[in-house]
Amino acid sequence: MQPSHLSPRPAPQWPGPRTRQAIADQAHFLKTLIDRPRLTGSIAPSGRYLARAMAHPIDPSRDGLVVELGPGTGPVTQALVERGISRHRLALVEYDHGFCRLLAQRFPGAQIIQGDAYDLPKTLAALVGQPIAAVVSSLPLLNEPPARRLKLIEDAFALMGPQGLMVQFTYGVGSPIPREACAQRYSAHCTAPIWRNLPPARVWTYRADRNGAFAEPLFARLVRRIEPRPRAK
């Protein structure tokens, strides 16, 4: 018999550490979604492009803590670290105990606070007196009534002061903080859709500004114009 000149089959490639971590994160995320769908609001952790877009508005040179609400498995936290924010400046507010344990392992030096992000005065009571530069939120705000969303941004700026910055992402077309609530109080600007995230998302930034502009996407303006208006009584 002639010897075979066929190349040997390559050995099967098992998932590397990063892939295994992503699979484990996805499994944990889905379990949390099933257990508490209202508090999770997404089928997967934020992708790296969305995470980077959320970290981008944060100025690493500015003094003060950066508070992250709903960090989950930590993709936005990692983007903040890569942006140049020291882990010792991070205060991560997470409701789920399992996520808190995971965050403590991945981001030693960060403050991990298990608590309700919708009750910031109580949850962040230990931080009173410390300067806070920004609040970065991955909370599913559209799952909450407008009054609760308004209270969140009010509490955030009460802690940060007028020089603070709030960052929030959404899968919706309009501002997750109701437009009417922002009038003569906050400026609001959003990014273009981040198509490489699944599902596509936008990142909104809010600043305390009585005369601030409200940069609403064109599609959101069109939707708002065609929505039926309540009849006058």
Side-chain angles (χ1 to χ4, degrees):
M1 296 179 61
Q2 295 292 327
S4 175
H5 295 288
L6 297 176
S7 301
R9 291 185 179 182
Q13 297 294 315
W14 299 103
R18 184 172 297 181
T19 302
R20 290 197 298 270
Q21 176 179 304
I23 293 171
D25 286 354
Q26 180 69 61
H28 194 155
F29 207 87
L30 288 174
K31 182 180 183 302
T32 306
L33 175 63
I34 294 170
D35 292 342
R36 289 184 292 274
R38 185 165 166 266
L39 297 180
T40 305
S42 177
I43 61 173
S46 299
R48 60 178 176 173
Y49 298 102
L50 174 56
R52 289 172 183 171
M54 294 183 70
H56 181 74
I58 309 303
D59 183 358
S61 65
R62 188 180 169 197
D63 293 334
L65 297 173
V66 175
V67 176
E68 185 183 354
L69 308 180
T73 59
V76 177
T77 315
Q78 181 61 39
L80 288 168
V81 171
E82 293 172 358
R83 176 76 172 136
I85 308 298
S86 167
R87 296 184 181 191
H88 296 281
R89 292 179 55 198
L90 293 174
L92 311 180
V93 178
E94 175 55 54
Y95 188 84
D96 182 81
H97 176 71
F99 284 149
C100 286
R101 187 170 59 250
L102 188 65
L103 292 166
Q105 295 171 354
R106 293 183 177 175
F107 303 100
Q111 298 185 59
I112 314 298
I113 303 170
Q114 184 177 8
D116 184 359
Y118 292 100
D119 190 3
L120 291 181
K122 178 180 178 181
T123 302
L124 298 182
L127 302 184
V128 171
Q130 299 186 50
I132 298 177
V135 171
V136 181
S137 170
S138 296
L139 301 175
L141 289 195
L142 297 183
N143 288 356
E144 303 297 331
R148 203 173 193 209
R149 292 182 249 160
L150 175 58
K151 181 180 183 301
L152 177 69
I153 192 172
E154 288 176 340
D155 288 346
F157 277 96
L159 290 166
M160 293 188 291
Q163 301 305 313
L165 170 71
M166 182 170 178
V167 180
Q168 171 73 53
F169 89 87
T170 181
Y171 298 124
V173 296
S175 169
I177 304 295
R179 178 186 175 90
E180 296 75 15
C182 291
Q184 298 182 335
R185 301 183 69 184
Y186 308 108
S187 65
H189 298 270
C190 72
T191 66
I194 301 169
W195 299 111
R196 299 179 80 171
N197 191 72
L198 184 64
R202 293 179 185 269
V203 174
W204 285 80
T205 57
Y206 301 89
R207 300 178 187 273
D209 187 349
R210 293 185 178 276
N211 300 311
F214 195 98
E216 191 174 38
L218 174 61
F219 184 68
R221 296 200 301 269
L222 293 175
V223 169
R224 194 157 47 81
R225 287 180 181 178
I226 65 176
E227 285 178 342
R229 298 180 180 180
R231 295 180 180 180
K233 294 184 179 180

mmCIF file of all heavy atoms in Angstrom, residues 154-191:
data_model
loop_
_atom_site.group_PDB
_atom_site.id
_atom_site.type_symbol
_atom_site.label_atom_id
_atom_site.label_comp_id
_atom_site.label_asym_id
_atom_site.label_seq_id
_atom_site.Cartn_x
_atom_site.Cartn_y
_atom_site.Cartn_z
ATOM 1 N N GLU A 154 -32.682 62.403 39.839
ATOM 2 C CA GLU A 154 -32.653 63.428 40.887
ATOM 3 C C GLU A 154 -31.733 63.001 42.029
ATOM 4 O O GLU A 154 -30.935 63.805 42.534
ATOM 5 C CB GLU A 154 -34.067 63.676 41.417
ATOM 6 C CG GLU A 154 -34.960 64.421 40.440
ATOM 7 C CD GLU A 154 -36.382 64.567 40.952
ATOM 8 O OE1 GLU A 154 -36.789 63.788 41.854
ATOM 9 O OE2 GLU A 154 -37.095 65.455 40.452
ATOM 10 N N ASP A 155 -31.855 61.740 42.449
ATOM 11 C CA ASP A 155 -30.988 61.233 43.519
ATOM 12 C C ASP A 155 -29.522 61.237 43.086
ATOM 13 O O ASP A 155 -28.631 61.551 43.886
ATOM 14 C CB ASP A 155 -31.413 59.815 43.908
ATOM 15 C CG ASP A 155 -32.722 59.777 44.669
ATOM 16 O OD1 ASP A 155 -33.183 60.846 45.128
ATOM 17 O OD2 ASP A 155 -33.305 58.676 44.806
ATOM 18 N N ALA A 156 -29.277 60.882 41.819
ATOM 19 C CA ALA A 156 -27.904 60.834 41.320
ATOM 20 C C ALA A 156 -27.259 62.220 41.371
ATOM 21 O O ALA A 156 -26.129 62.380 41.850
ATOM 22 C CB ALA A 156 -27.873 60.281 39.901
ATOM 23 N N PHE A 157 -27.974 63.246 40.903
ATOM 24 C CA PHE A 157 -27.389 64.586 40.900
ATOM 25 C C PHE A 157 -27.361 65.203 42.291
ATOM 26 O O PHE A 157 -26.518 66.065 42.565
ATOM 27 C CB PHE A 157 -28.119 65.481 39.902
ATOM 28 C CG PHE A 157 -27.623 65.316 38.493
ATOM 29 C CD1 PHE A 157 -28.283 64.474 37.610
ATOM 30 C CD2 PHE A 157 -26.479 65.961 38.061
ATOM 31 C CE1 PHE A 157 -27.811 64.300 36.320
ATOM 32 C CE2 PHE A 157 -26.002 65.796 36.773
ATOM 33 C CZ PHE A 157 -26.668 64.956 35.899
ATOM 34 N N ALA A 158 -28.241 64.768 43.179
ATOM 35 C CA ALA A 158 -28.156 65.220 44.562
ATOM 36 C C ALA A 158 -26.858 64.744 45.201
ATOM 37 O O ALA A 158 -26.254 65.446 46.024
ATOM 38 C CB ALA A 158 -29.362 64.713 45.357
ATOM 39 N N LEU A 159 -26.398 63.561 44.818
ATOM 40 C CA LEU A 159 -25.139 63.022 45.341
ATOM 41 C C LEU A 159 -23.930 63.618 44.627
ATOM 42 O O LEU A 159 -22.894 63.876 45.244
ATOM 43 C CB LEU A 159 -25.126 61.499 45.192
ATOM 44 C CG LEU A 159 -26.086 60.716 46.096
ATOM 45 C CD1 LEU A 159 -26.213 59.277 45.618
ATOM 46 C CD2 LEU A 159 -25.605 60.750 47.536
ATOM 47 N N MET A 160 -24.046 63.827 43.311
ATOM 48 C CA MET A 160 -22.905 64.303 42.530
ATOM 49 C C MET A 160 -22.709 65.803 42.612
ATOM 50 O O MET A 160 -21.586 66.299 42.529
ATOM 51 C CB MET A 160 -23.089 63.916 41.050
ATOM 52 C CG MET A 160 -23.034 62.448 40.755
ATOM 53 S SD MET A 160 -23.038 62.119 38.966
ATOM 54 C CE MET A 160 -24.711 62.616 38.514
ATOM 55 N N GLY A 161 -23.807 66.552 42.704
ATOM 56 C CA GLY A 161 -23.727 67.989 42.578
ATOM 57 C C GLY A 161 -23.882 68.409 41.126
ATOM 58 O O GLY A 161 -23.916 67.567 40.215
ATOM 59 N N PRO A 162 -23.957 69.711 40.866
ATOM 60 C CA PRO A 162 -24.246 70.203 39.508
ATOM 61 C C PRO A 162 -23.161 69.909 38.483
ATOM 62 O O PRO A 162 -23.405 70.015 37.282
ATOM 63 C CB PRO A 162 -24.431 71.713 39.706
ATOM 64 C CG PRO A 162 -23.677 72.022 40.963
ATOM 65 C CD PRO A 162 -23.818 70.814 41.831
ATOM 66 N N GLN A 163 -21.957 69.561 38.931
ATOM 67 C CA GLN A 163 -20.874 69.284 37.982
ATOM 68 C C GLN A 163 -20.823 67.821 37.561
ATOM 69 O O GLN A 163 -19.953 67.422 36.790
ATOM 70 C CB GLN A 163 -19.526 69.670 38.605
ATOM 71 C CG GLN A 163 -19.431 71.129 39.006
ATOM 72 C CD GLN A 163 -19.734 72.066 37.846
ATOM 73 O OE1 GLN A 163 -19.211 71.881 36.743
ATOM 74 N NE2 GLN A 163 -20.567 73.060 38.085
ATOM 75 N N GLY A 164 -21.743 67.029 38.068
ATOM 76 C CA GLY A 164 -21.720 65.596 37.782
ATOM 77 C C GLY A 164 -22.185 65.251 36.383
ATOM 78 O O GLY A 164 -22.670 66.103 35.617
ATOM 79 N N LEU A 165 -22.036 63.992 36.046
ATOM 80 C CA LEU A 165 -22.421 63.471 34.737
ATOM 81 C C LEU A 165 -23.095 62.123 34.935
ATOM 82 O O LEU A 165 -22.593 61.278 35.688
ATOM 83 C CB LEU A 165 -21.185 63.302 33.852
ATOM 84 C CG LEU A 165 -21.361 62.549 32.522
ATOM 85 C CD1 LEU A 165 -22.164 63.391 31.551
ATOM 86 C CD2 LEU A 165 -20.009 62.190 31.922
ATOM 87 N N MET A 166 -24.232 61.930 34.283
ATOM 88 C CA MET A 166 -24.909 60.637 34.341
ATOM 89 C C MET A 166 -24.941 60.024 32.950
ATOM 90 O O MET A 166 -25.293 60.698 31.974
ATOM 91 C CB MET A 166 -26.328 60.767 34.884
ATOM 92 C CG MET A 166 -27.047 59.421 35.008
ATOM 93 S SD MET A 166 -28.608 59.539 35.915
ATOM 94 C CE MET A 166 -29.173 57.816 35.816
ATOM 95 N N VAL A 167 -24.571 58.766 32.853
ATOM 96 C CA VAL A 167 -24.547 58.028 31.586
ATOM 97 C C VAL A 167 -25.517 56.860 31.698
ATOM 98 O O VAL A 167 -25.500 56.120 32.686
ATOM 99 C CB VAL A 167 -23.127 57.507 31.271
ATOM 100 C CG1 VAL A 167 -23.117 56.752 29.944
ATOM 101 C CG2 VAL A 167 -22.127 58.647 31.253
ATOM 102 N N GLN A 168 -26.353 56.692 30.680
ATOM 103 C CA GLN A 168 -27.366 55.633 30.697
ATOM 104 C C GLN A 168 -27.529 55.103 29.276
ATOM 105 O O GLN A 168 -27.599 55.881 28.326
ATOM 106 C CB GLN A 168 -28.699 56.194 31.198
ATOM 107 C CG GLN A 168 -29.893 55.257 31.058
ATOM 108 C CD GLN A 168 -29.868 54.112 32.057
ATOM 109 O OE1 GLN A 168 -29.739 54.339 33.253
ATOM 110 N NE2 GLN A 168 -30.011 52.890 31.579
ATOM 111 N N PHE A 169 -27.622 53.789 29.132
ATOM 112 C CA PHE A 169 -27.892 53.255 27.796
ATOM 113 C C PHE A 169 -29.346 52.784 27.733
ATOM 114 O O PHE A 169 -30.003 52.545 28.742
ATOM 115 C CB PHE A 169 -26.925 52.126 27.433
ATOM 116 C CG PHE A 169 -27.372 50.749 27.835
ATOM 117 C CD1 PHE A 169 -28.173 49.981 26.999
ATOM 118 C CD2 PHE A 169 -26.979 50.206 29.054
ATOM 119 C CE1 PHE A 169 -28.579 48.704 27.364
ATOM 120 C CE2 PHE A 169 -27.377 48.932 29.428
ATOM 121 C CZ PHE A 169 -28.184 48.180 28.587
ATOM 122 N N THR A 170 -29.842 52.677 26.512
ATOM 123 C CA THR A 170 -31.212 52.218 26.320
ATOM 124 C C THR A 170 -31.338 51.535 24.969
ATOM 125 O O THR A 170 -30.598 51.839 24.031
ATOM 126 C CB THR A 170 -32.201 53.394 26.393
ATOM 127 O OG1 THR A 170 -33.538 52.913 26.236
ATOM 128 C CG2 THR A 170 -31.932 54.421 25.297
ATOM 129 N N TYR A 171 -32.275 50.599 24.890
ATOM 130 C CA TYR A 171 -32.621 49.986 23.608
ATOM 131 C C TYR A 171 -33.761 50.747 22.933
ATOM 132 O O TYR A 171 -34.118 50.448 21.798
ATOM 133 C CB TYR A 171 -33.041 48.530 23.811
ATOM 134 C CG TYR A 171 -31.946 47.659 24.391
ATOM 135 C CD1 TYR A 171 -32.155 46.934 25.561
ATOM 136 C CD2 TYR A 171 -30.704 47.560 23.775
ATOM 137 C CE1 TYR A 171 -31.155 46.128 26.097
ATOM 138 C CE2 TYR A 171 -29.698 46.772 24.306
ATOM 139 C CZ TYR A 171 -29.925 46.055 25.464
ATOM 140 O OH TYR A 171 -28.938 45.268 26.002
ATOM 141 N N GLY A 172 -34.352 51.701 23.633
ATOM 142 C CA GLY A 172 -35.446 52.477 23.073
ATOM 143 C C GLY A 172 -34.947 53.552 22.115
ATOM 144 O O GLY A 172 -33.745 53.820 22.011
ATOM 145 N N VAL A 173 -35.879 54.211 21.420
ATOM 146 C CA VAL A 173 -35.501 55.249 20.459
ATOM 147 C C VAL A 173 -35.392 56.616 21.112
ATOM 148 O O VAL A 173 -34.735 57.511 20.584
ATOM 149 C CB VAL A 173 -36.508 55.311 19.290
ATOM 150 C CG1 VAL A 173 -36.494 54.034 18.504
ATOM 151 C CG2 VAL A 173 -37.918 55.615 19.790
ATOM 152 N N GLY A 174 -36.041 56.804 22.261
ATOM 153 C CA GLY A 174 -36.029 58.095 22.929
ATOM 154 C C GLY A 174 -35.260 58.038 24.236
ATOM 155 O O GLY A 174 -34.718 57.007 24.635
ATOM 156 N N SER A 175 -35.240 59.183 24.914
ATOM 157 C CA SER A 175 -34.535 59.282 26.180
ATOM 158 C C SER A 175 -35.183 58.404 27.243
ATOM 159 O O SER A 175 -36.400 58.451 27.429
ATOM 160 C CB SER A 175 -34.537 60.736 26.667
ATOM 161 O OG SER A 175 -34.090 60.822 28.003
ATOM 162 N N PRO A 176 -34.399 57.590 27.972
ATOM 163 C CA PRO A 176 -34.983 56.787 29.044
ATOM 164 C C PRO A 176 -35.450 57.636 30.221
ATOM 165 O O PRO A 176 -36.305 57.207 30.995
ATOM 166 C CB PRO A 176 -33.839 55.851 29.448
ATOM 167 C CG PRO A 176 -32.603 56.527 28.989
ATOM 168 C CD PRO A 176 -32.966 57.324 27.789
ATOM 169 N N ILE A 177 -34.882 58.836 30.377
ATOM 170 C CA ILE A 177 -35.417 59.805 31.327
ATOM 171 C C ILE A 177 -36.434 60.640 30.555
ATOM 172 O O ILE A 177 -36.088 61.238 29.533
ATOM 173 C CB ILE A 177 -34.315 60.714 31.902
ATOM 174 C CG1 ILE A 177 -33.198 59.886 32.551
ATOM 175 C CG2 ILE A 177 -34.916 61.694 32.904
ATOM 176 C CD1 ILE A 177 -33.627 59.095 33.767
ATOM 177 N N PRO A 178 -37.687 60.692 30.987
ATOM 178 C CA PRO A 178 -38.708 61.389 30.194
ATOM 179 C C PRO A 178 -38.285 62.808 29.815
ATOM 180 O O PRO A 178 -37.724 63.549 30.632
ATOM 181 C CB PRO A 178 -39.919 61.401 31.135
ATOM 182 C CG PRO A 178 -39.719 60.210 32.017
ATOM 183 C CD PRO A 178 -38.237 60.101 32.212
ATOM 184 N N ARG A 179 -38.535 63.152 28.577
ATOM 185 C CA ARG A 179 -38.146 64.463 28.054
ATOM 186 C C ARG A 179 -38.710 65.591 28.908
ATOM 187 O O ARG A 179 -38.028 66.570 29.212
ATOM 188 C CB ARG A 179 -38.650 64.595 26.609
ATOM 189 C CG ARG A 179 -38.353 65.940 25.969
ATOM 190 C CD ARG A 179 -39.009 66.034 24.598
ATOM 191 N NE ARG A 179 -38.831 67.368 24.031
ATOM 192 C CZ ARG A 179 -37.804 67.716 23.276
ATOM 193 N NH1 ARG A 179 -36.873 66.833 22.983
ATOM 194 N NH2 ARG A 179 -37.700 68.932 22.794
ATOM 195 N N GLU A 180 -39.959 65.457 29.304
ATOM 196 C CA GLU A 180 -40.609 66.505 30.082
ATOM 197 C C GLU A 180 -39.900 66.720 31.419
ATOM 198 O O GLU A 180 -39.846 67.839 31.928
ATOM 199 C CB GLU A 180 -42.081 66.155 30.318
ATOM 200 C CG GLU A 180 -42.922 66.074 29.048
ATOM 201 C CD GLU A 180 -42.671 64.800 28.237
ATOM 202 O OE1 GLU A 180 -42.054 63.855 28.800
ATOM 203 O OE2 GLU A 180 -43.056 64.759 27.056
ATOM 204 N N ALA A 181 -39.367 65.637 31.983
ATOM 205 C CA ALA A 181 -38.682 65.736 33.266
ATOM 206 C C ALA A 181 -37.345 66.456 33.140
ATOM 207 O O ALA A 181 -36.836 67.022 34.117
ATOM 208 C CB ALA A 181 -38.469 64.344 33.848
ATOM 209 N N CYS A 182 -36.775 66.438 31.937
ATOM 210 C CA CYS A 182 -35.468 67.064 31.720
ATOM 211 C C CYS A 182 -35.583 68.563 31.450
ATOM 212 O O CYS A 182 -34.589 69.287 31.580
ATOM 213 C CB CYS A 182 -34.754 66.407 30.547
ATOM 214 S SG CYS A 182 -34.227 64.707 30.859
ATOM 215 N N ALA A 183 -36.774 69.023 31.080
ATOM 216 C CA ALA A 183 -36.949 70.412 30.668
ATOM 217 C C ALA A 183 -36.497 71.365 31.767
ATOM 218 O O ALA A 183 -36.926 71.269 32.917
ATOM 219 C CB ALA A 183 -38.411 70.661 30.315
ATOM 220 N N GLN A 184 -35.597 72.285 31.390
ATOM 221 C CA GLN A 184 -35.059 73.325 32.274
ATOM 222 C C GLN A 184 -34.368 72.754 33.510
ATOM 223 O O GLN A 184 -34.265 73.420 34.536
ATOM 224 C CB GLN A 184 -36.178 74.292 32.687
ATOM 225 C CG GLN A 184 -36.790 75.025 31.511
ATOM 226 C CD GLN A 184 -37.848 76.015 31.923
ATOM 227 O OE1 GLN A 184 -38.474 75.872 32.975
ATOM 228 N NE2 GLN A 184 -38.053 77.035 31.114
ATOM 229 N N ARG A 185 -33.902 71.519 33.388
ATOM 230 C CA ARG A 185 -33.189 70.902 34.509
ATOM 231 C C ARG A 185 -31.902 70.219 34.053
ATOM 232 O O ARG A 185 -30.884 70.329 34.707
ATOM 233 C CB ARG A 185 -34.083 69.883 35.214
ATOM 234 C CG ARG A 185 -35.375 70.456 35.756
ATOM 235 C CD ARG A 185 -36.162 69.415 36.498
ATOM 236 N NE ARG A 185 -35.506 69.025 37.737
ATOM 237 C CZ ARG A 185 -35.956 68.075 38.537
ATOM 238 N NH1 ARG A 185 -37.047 67.408 38.225
ATOM 239 N NH2 ARG A 185 -35.303 67.775 39.644
ATOM 240 N N TYR A 186 -32.001 69.467 32.933
ATOM 241 C CA TYR A 186 -30.853 68.687 32.479
ATOM 242 C C TYR A 186 -30.691 68.848 30.966
ATOM 243 O O TYR A 186 -31.674 68.964 30.231
ATOM 244 C CB TYR A 186 -31.048 67.200 32.788
ATOM 245 C CG TYR A 186 -31.414 66.902 34.219
ATOM 246 C CD1 TYR A 186 -32.706 66.499 34.556
ATOM 247 C CD2 TYR A 186 -30.476 67.025 35.236
ATOM 248 C CE1 TYR A 186 -33.062 66.228 35.863
ATOM 249 C CE2 TYR A 186 -30.823 66.758 36.549
ATOM 250 C CZ TYR A 186 -32.120 66.360 36.852
ATOM 251 O OH TYR A 186 -32.462 66.104 38.167
ATOM 252 N N SER A 187 -29.446 68.831 30.528
ATOM 253 C CA SER A 187 -29.180 68.664 29.101
ATOM 254 C C SER A 187 -29.080 67.171 28.832
ATOM 255 O O SER A 187 -28.679 66.405 29.716
ATOM 256 C CB SER A 187 -27.884 69.368 28.688
ATOM 257 O OG SER A 187 -26.771 68.763 29.320
ATOM 258 N N ALA A 188 -29.452 66.771 27.646
ATOM 259 C CA ALA A 188 -29.451 65.347 27.302
ATOM 260 C C ALA A 188 -28.948 65.171 25.881
ATOM 261 O O ALA A 188 -29.439 65.819 24.957
ATOM 262 C CB ALA A 188 -30.867 64.776 27.443
ATOM 263 N N HIS A 189 -27.966 64.303 25.727
ATOM 264 C CA HIS A 189 -27.399 64.029 24.403
ATOM 265 C C HIS A 189 -27.213 62.529 24.251
ATOM 266 O O HIS A 189 -26.935 61.822 25.217
ATOM 267 C CB HIS A 189 -26.050 64.734 24.235
ATOM 268 C CG HIS A 189 -26.142 66.223 24.327
ATOM 269 N ND1 HIS A 189 -26.371 67.034 23.240
ATOM 270 C CD2 HIS A 189 -26.066 67.051 25.401
ATOM 271 C CE1 HIS A 189 -26.417 68.289 23.632
ATOM 272 N NE2 HIS A 189 -26.232 68.334 24.941
ATOM 273 N N CYS A 190 -27.386 62.040 23.033
ATOM 274 C CA CYS A 190 -27.255 60.604 22.808
ATOM 275 C C CYS A 190 -26.332 60.315 21.637
ATOM 276 O O CYS A 190 -26.117 61.159 20.768
ATOM 277 C CB CYS A 190 -28.614 59.953 22.572
ATOM 278 S SG CYS A 190 -29.350 60.338 20.989
ATOM 279 N N THR A 191 -25.792 59.108 21.641
ATOM 280 C CA THR A 191 -24.953 58.656 20.537
ATOM 281 C C THR A 191 -25.828 58.159 19.390
ATOM 282 O O THR A 191 -27.048 57.985 19.530
ATOM 283 C CB THR A 191 -24.056 57.495 20.983
ATOM 284 O OG1 THR A 191 -24.892 56.355 21.298
ATOM 285 C CG2 THR A 191 -23.223 57.859 22.188
#
